[in-house]
């Protein structure tokens, strides 16, 4: 069996997720041994029109991005979205909270805002434009999870992606719950897989991995009373990664 | 077997000599993250770290018999596999009676039907030093569950006779006796010491009661017999996040999930098991993606049936909630308290 050809593409993002792949260190040799990387702008100069697996980082934020991602989709057998930017729209979706994007552009770029390459549209997660086969969540992605998802694909198995909340990993790590400190931790409605990184570092979960399949947001609203907090305070915590978020599986 | 008395200094050097021995010693310590008011079991470096005046630990000591994640075996794809059994010797210091009773229950469960070598090997290599409760935690209800004192399972039981100045230590096994013998300056406990210990234990039987169950634990089974369709399940589960914190903090929850993790060569890998929880959405997923407990109210109900009815039938009627109160504090929407649910049922149903 010849090795599957893999191409890595980026859209609107900080490239932090690609950096996580580079950060695989010794494992990157294993990765390169198992697959044939044919295009990867961040790490090599070659380009290719022929690949089996397309790995997509970043959100779709311009009309020409939509054309490009559709073209990639038509060539790839399997398409994997990596990182919050690609899987949910991530931070880039913050701008979708504004009705008038011209205003947003002016505020960000002032006089330069009319330059053609700064054309912008409402942010879309990759699956709002094309079919996504697998999602690797997080901002940034977890190296270990990325590796195990790729290995599952190589074995022809569906990867195991947690559909339980961050609290599960948080409790296993024996953390004190951030709610006990009066913080609005989104852990109970956010998909696990990061090893509860933030609560383990004494910080609330702000939701970078996106919601679990069936988040009980109503419960979150109900519990605000118990903690003497308001629904607006809850909403303000959900806006960073949760703005106009679609399904995450 | 002997009952000794150890004053503060003797006790300290007893613990320090254990730490200096070739066995690993874990005990209850302050959780650094929490500015001193939360506790967790962890490796002891010196006797001063040990906090036998703790109220409750964040998660129970079961992690030493059933770790959060463990490797069961290594395998070759379509080939041989090799079992991994952890044979490390361990001394576990400071297990409260309710947690000891939970361990005793798990020992029964893991040694019946299919004997679990991984669990049992760890368990048999652990020497347990239990201790009576000095400070009640915020949500403890061990008095209601009849788990405030413990009579078996441990090797040594410690009772603090007052502010850590003096301990009574009773060994009930050969292992315990041998370990206690290393406290060379300990004296024999006299009748007065033993009377003091009894008074402390009798008080705990009444006072570890932040929530009061309005029936006997032995009546829960017949109560639940009649409660399957009661509205409480839906009422409570409405605000359930399916986060499983009521499982992951519980000393008697023992469900696990097994996964094969293949290495990069795609030729070999490890089989791992890790804690699972019956409140999690995918818990009851079976082949073909059917989930036979899809509704969160049926998962919520399942846990309280397990504690009060299903598990007791396997272990001679013992209720599988030991009243540690951890789930009560861990549940963000505050619906997990077993006493609140059972008492709500008792309003409508006579067991
Ligand atoms: S998901 Fe986060 S780390 Fe990854 S590219 Fe987007 S912003 Fe960067
Ligand atoms: S800190 Fe957050 S993730 Fe951890 S248990 Fe509490 S709510 Fe869940
Ligand atoms: S704890 Fe929450 S915010 Fe932090 S990495 Fe995990 S999912 Fe992202
Ligand atoms: S059900 Fe709750 S109170 Fe009972 S043993 Fe489990 S965690 Fe403790
Ligand atoms: S801890 Fe509470 S919210 Fe979480 S699964 Fe248990 S009952 Fe539901």
């Amino acid at each position: 069996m010849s090795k599957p050809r893999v191409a890595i593409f980026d859209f609107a993002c900080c490239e932090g997720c690609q950096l996580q792949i580079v950060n695989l260190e010794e494992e990157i040799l294993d990765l390169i041994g198992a697959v044939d990387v044919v295009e990867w702008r961040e790490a090599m100069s070659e380009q290719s029109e022929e690949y089996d697996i397309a790995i997509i980082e970043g959100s779709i934020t311009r009309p020409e991005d939509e054309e490009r991602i559709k073209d990639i989709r038509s060539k790839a057998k399997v398409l994997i979205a990596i990182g919050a930017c690609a899987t949910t729209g991530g931070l880039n979706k913050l701008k979708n909270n504004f009705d008038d994007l011209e205003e947003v552009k002016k505020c960000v770029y002032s006089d330069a805002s009319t330059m053609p390459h700064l054309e912008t549209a409402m942010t879309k997660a990759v699956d709002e434009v094309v079919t996504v086969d697998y999602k690797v969540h997080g901002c940034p992605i977890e190296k270990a999870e990325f590796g195990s998802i790729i290995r599952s694909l190589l074995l022809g198995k569906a990867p195991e992606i947690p559909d339980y909340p961050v609290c599960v990993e948080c409790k296993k790590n024996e953390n004190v719950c951030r709610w006990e400190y009066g913080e609005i931790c989104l852990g109970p409605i956010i998909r696990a897989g990061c090893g509860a990184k933030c609560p383990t570092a004494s910080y609330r979960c702000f939701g970078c991995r996106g919601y679990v399949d069936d988040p009980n947001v109503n419960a979150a609203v109900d519990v605000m009373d118990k903690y003497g907090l308001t629904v607006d305070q809850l909403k303000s915590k959900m806006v960073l990664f949760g703005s106009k978020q679609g399904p995450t599986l | 077997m002997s009952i000794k008395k150890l004053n503060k200094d003797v006790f300290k050097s007893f613990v320090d000599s254990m730490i200096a021995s070739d066995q690993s010693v874990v005990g209850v310590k302050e959780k650094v993250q929490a500015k001193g008011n939360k506790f967790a079991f962890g490796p002891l470096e010196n006797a001063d770290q040990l906090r036998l005046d703790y109220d409750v630990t964040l998660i129970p000591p079961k992690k030493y018999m059933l770790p959060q994640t463990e490797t069961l075996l290594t395998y070759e794809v379509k080939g041989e596999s090799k079992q991994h059994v952890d044979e490390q010797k361990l001394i576990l210091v400071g297990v409260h009676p309710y947690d000891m009773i939970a361990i005793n229950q798990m020992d029964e469960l893991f040694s019946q039907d299919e004997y679990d070598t991984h669990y049992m090997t760890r368990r048999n290599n652990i020497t347990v030093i239990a201790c009576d409760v000095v400070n009640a935690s915020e949500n403890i209800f061990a008095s209601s569950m009849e788990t405030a004192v413990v009579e078996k399972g441990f090797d040594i039981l410690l009772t603090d006779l007052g502010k850590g100045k003096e301990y009574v230590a009773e060994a009930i096994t050969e292992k315990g006796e041998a370990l206690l013998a290393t406290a060379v300056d300990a004296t024999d406990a006299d009748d007065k010491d033993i009377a003091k210990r009894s008074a402390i234990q009798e008080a705990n039987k009444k006072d570890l009661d932040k929530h009061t169950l309005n029936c006997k634990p032995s009546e829960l089974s017949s109560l639940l017999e009649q409660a399957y369709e009661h509205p409480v399940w839906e009422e409570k589960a409405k605000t359930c996040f399916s986060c499983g914190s009521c499982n992951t903090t519980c000393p008697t929850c023992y469900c696990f999930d097994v996964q094969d993790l293949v290495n990069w060569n795609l030729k070999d890998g490890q089989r791992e098991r890790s804690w699972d929880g019956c409140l999690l959405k995918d818990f009851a997923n079976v082949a073909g993606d059917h989930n036979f407990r899809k509704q969160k109210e049926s998962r919520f109900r399942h846990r309280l049936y397990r504690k009060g009815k299903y598990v007791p039938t396997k272990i001679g009627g013992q209720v599988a909630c030991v009243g540690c109160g951890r789930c009560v504090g861990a549940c963000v929407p505050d619906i997990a308290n077993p006493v609140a649910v059972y008492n709500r049922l008792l309003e409508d149903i006579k067991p």
Side-chain angles (χ1 to χ4, degrees):
Chain A
M1 196 182 76
S2 62
K3 290 196 277 186
R5 293 159 302 178
V6 172
I8 303 175
F9 302 99
D10 50 59
F11 289 79
C13 65
C14 81
E15 301 184 8
C17 289
Q18 290 187 59
L19 199 60
Q20 286 290 83
I21 304 178
V22 177
N23 286 345
L24 280 169
E25 293 170 5
E26 294 110 67
E27 272 190 68
I28 195 136
L29 297 175
D30 295 320
L31 171 70
I32 289 166
V35 301
D36 203 358
V37 182
V38 294
E39 174 162 352
W40 184 5
R41 195 181 53 79
E42 184 154 306
M44 58 197 258
S45 53
E46 287 86 348
Q47 290 196 327
S48 175
E49 289 286 304
E50 285 179 31
Y51 38 83
D52 305 299
I53 299 174
I55 295 177
I56 311 295
E57 179 197 43
S59 325
I60 310 303
T61 58
R62 297 175 304 183
E64 65 253 47
D65 293 345
E66 296 210 11
E67 294 318 308
R68 184 168 159 237
I69 189 74
K70 283 177 187 158
D71 180 53
I72 294 170
R73 175 73 264 192
S74 70
K75 291 175 184 146
K77 294 196 187 84
V78 175
L79 187 141
I80 307 172
I82 65 163
C85 293
T87 59
T88 65
L91 292 173
N92 295 323
K93 272 208 175 167
L94 274 173
K95 79 173 167 191
N96 295 18
N97 293 310
F98 301 90
D99 295 328
D100 183 357
L101 286 186
E102 286 307 314
E103 280 292 306
V104 174
K105 257 167 63 178
K106 244 185 238 150
C107 174
V108 176
Y109 300 112
S110 71
D111 286 350
S113 68
T114 52
M115 308 270 283
H117 70 283
L118 295 178
E119 197 49 51
T120 192
M122 287 295 180
T123 298
K124 290 178 180 168
V126 176
D127 69 351
E128 291 174 69
V129 185
V130 297
T131 306
V132 170
D133 298 303
Y134 299 105
K135 293 179 181 175
V136 187
H137 293 287
C139 177
I141 56 167
E142 289 298 316
K143 289 183 285 187
E145 189 182 29
F146 174 78
S148 87
I149 289 174
I150 299 292
R151 291 195 296 275
S152 293
L153 291 180
L154 294 174
L155 278 182
K157 287 202 316 194
E160 296 268 354
I161 296 166
D163 187 26
Y164 46 78
V166 175
C167 299
V168 175
E169 294 171 338
C170 189
K171 290 297 183 218
K172 288 181 187 174
N173 288 354
E174 298 182 66
N175 297 322
V176 181
C177 182
R178 302 319 297 174
W179 285 87
E180 289 201 32
Y181 296 112
E183 292 172 21
I184 300 177
C185 177
L186 296 184
I189 50 175
I190 298 300
R191 188 183 299 280
C194 60
K197 277 221 153 56
C198 302
T200 306
S202 300
Y203 196 75
R204 63 186 187 84
C205 167
F206 45 90
C208 79
R209 295 178 58 88
Y211 300 131
V212 289
D213 278 355
D214 187 14
N216 196 345
V217 177
N218 292 335
V221 170
D222 280 357
V223 301
M224 297 316 283
D225 255 0
K226 180 188 155 198
Y227 291 89
L229 298 160
T230 65
V231 173
D232 281 341
Q233 284 173 306
L234 172 66
K235 282 190 186 155
S236 74
K237 300 299 182 216
M238 292 168 69
V239 78
L240 186 60
F241 278 97
S243 294
K244 314 279 188 274
Q245 193 183 108
T248 50
L249 202 72
Chain B
M1 305 256 167
S2 38
I3 308 186
K4 299 275 186 186
K5 186 158 85 170
L6 290 74
N7 71 27
K8 199 174 177 173
D9 293 333
V10 175
F11 180 70
K12 253 187 77 172
S13 43
F14 172 54
V15 176
D16 277 329
S17 72
M18 273 191 274
I19 295 169
S21 77
D22 56 357
Q23 296 202 43
S24 300
V25 183
V26 296
V28 178
K29 305 198 288 189
E30 281 175 23
K31 177 87 183 169
V32 180
Q33 196 187 26
K35 305 179 190 91
N37 60 357
K38 298 278 177 182
F39 301 92
F41 281 92
L44 288 180
E45 285 130 35
N46 57 62
D48 290 329
Q49 289 179 330
L50 182 63
R51 286 289 303 270
L52 291 183
D53 60 338
Y54 78 102
D55 53 359
V56 65
T57 54
L58 286 157
I59 64 173
K62 77 171 176 196
K63 64 178 179 176
Y64 293 110
M65 297 110 208
L66 186 66
Q68 289 89 328
T69 301
E70 68 180 309
T71 302
L72 298 180
L73 51 84
T74 47
Y75 64 86
E76 287 165 29
V77 177
K78 299 196 187 91
E80 304 273 294
S81 66
K82 193 170 154 277
Q83 290 277 335
H84 268 228
V85 180
D86 181 357
E87 293 183 4
Q88 211 206 356
K89 293 222 184 296
L90 195 71
I91 303 175
L92 181 53
V93 192
V95 176
H96 274 167
Y98 51 83
D99 276 339
M100 190 67 244
I101 290 169
I103 293 170
N104 294 344
Q105 293 185 358
M106 290 217 293
D107 292 350
E108 276 189 54
L109 290 158
F110 277 102
S111 58
Q112 61 181 220
D113 305 334
E114 229 162 287
Y115 186 88
D116 191 297
T117 314
H118 304 275
Y119 176 96
M120 290 307 294
T121 306
R122 279 204 183 80
R123 175 65 183 99
N124 292 332
N125 278 312
I126 295 177
T127 305
V128 181
I129 303 183
C131 73
D132 280 312
V133 178
V134 178
N135 286 310
S137 69
E138 203 185 337
N139 289 306
I140 191 168
F141 55 97
S143 304
S144 275
M145 302 318 283
E146 300 165 2
T147 54
V149 295
V150 62
E151 274 150 21
K152 59 173 201 221
F154 53 84
D155 299 283
I156 296 175
L157 176 69
L158 290 172
T159 311
D160 179 351
L161 295 187
K163 303 250 182 286
K165 288 199 198 97
E166 277 177 338
Y167 290 93
V168 167
E170 177 174 11
I172 65 160
T173 63
E174 295 296 335
K175 260 200 289 189
E177 187 73 13
L179 183 57
L180 191 53
T182 64
V184 278
D185 292 324
T187 53
D188 286 330
D190 59 26
D191 290 347
K192 256 206 260 157
D193 302 323
I194 292 170
K196 271 195 212 163
R197 180 175 79 162
S198 302
I200 289 167
Q201 292 175 338
E202 286 310 310
N204 277 352
K205 284 186 189 172
K206 294 198 297 291
D207 299 342
L208 303 183
D209 206 21
K210 300 293 169 73
H211 306 281
T212 307
L213 180 67
N214 294 333
C215 70
K216 286 205 214 65
S218 57
E219 292 173 312
L220 287 173
S221 179
S222 75
L223 172 70
L224 290 170
E225 195 89 50
Q226 311 161 60
Y228 208 72
E229 303 295 342
H230 195 276
V232 70
W233 311 118
E234 210 187 316
E235 277 166 31
K236 292 274 181 187
K238 218 172 48 226
T239 52
C240 176
F241 285 117
S242 306
C243 70
S245 291
C246 50
N247 299 127
T248 44
T249 59
C250 179
T252 69
C253 276
Y254 58 88
C255 293
F256 51 79
D257 180 43
V258 176
Q259 278 192 20
D260 286 346
L261 306 175
V262 73
N263 294 330
W264 275 112
N265 61 17
L266 308 182
K267 290 195 182 96
D268 47 42
Q270 298 81 245
R271 175 162 302 168
E272 285 191 348
R273 78 169 162 192
S274 45
W275 291 0
D276 202 346
C278 57
L279 267 289
L280 302 180
K281 190 173 136 284
D282 283 349
F283 178 75
N285 257 3
V286 291
D289 237 6
H290 297 295
N291 186 329
F292 57 87
R293 274 193 294 280
K294 219 178 173 64
Q295 303 295 326
K296 52 184 185 305
E297 50 273 22
S298 50
R299 295 194 298 268
F300 184 87
R301 176 176 59 199
H302 178 76
R303 171 175 157 264
L304 289 146
Y305 266 73
R306 245 184 110 73
K307 305 292 172 209
K309 191 168 186 306
Y310 303 150
V311 177
T313 60
K314 296 185 184 193
I315 51 173
Q318 302 172 71
V319 170
C321 167
V322 295
C324 72
R326 288 184 181 96
C327 60
V328 185
C331 177
V332 172
D334 192 16
I335 52 171
N337 186 347
V339 173
V341 175
Y342 295 143
N343 283 352
R344 170 77 183 80
L345 292 174
L346 286 163
E347 286 171 16
D348 296 336
I349 303 168
K350 245 183 94 60

